[in-house]
Amino acid sequence: MAVPKRKVSKARRDKRRSNVWKLEAPNLSKCPQCGELKMPHRVCSNCGFYKGREIIKVEA
């Protein structure tokens, strides 16, 4: 049966429990066509453009 050989220090315990490993919110960039916020390297869901070209036809 596994039993700890030594007491885990408060620093080590708290480091493990800290929020260091939590994910951050994704960065958003501005669409050059419509100015809507979008995720980088993705097609804009508002206008359907990516890198200056229309990829998806979006009905207005």
Side-chain angles (χ1 to χ4, degrees):
M1 198 155 139
V3 177
K5 194 157 198 156
R6 290 189 173 39
K7 177 182 175 181
V8 176
S9 71
K10 290 173 195 154
R12 188 174 286 269
R13 178 199 67 201
D14 294 345
K15 205 184 303 181
R16 185 180 65 242
R17 291 179 182 175
S18 72
N19 294 328
V20 173
W21 306 109
K22 289 194 178 172
L23 292 175
E24 295 175 2
N27 296 326
L28 297 175
S29 61
K30 205 169 168 185
C31 175
Q33 293 294 121
C34 64
E36 191 79 16
L37 289 176
K38 66 175 191 72
M39 294 211 23
H41 308 288
R42 304 287 193 286
V43 176
C44 179
S45 59
N46 191 43
C47 64
F49 275 76
Y50 179 69
K51 287 192 175 179
R53 295 186 304 187
E54 187 176 11
I55 306 298
I56 302 170
K57 298 211 182 233
V58 180
E59 295 180 20

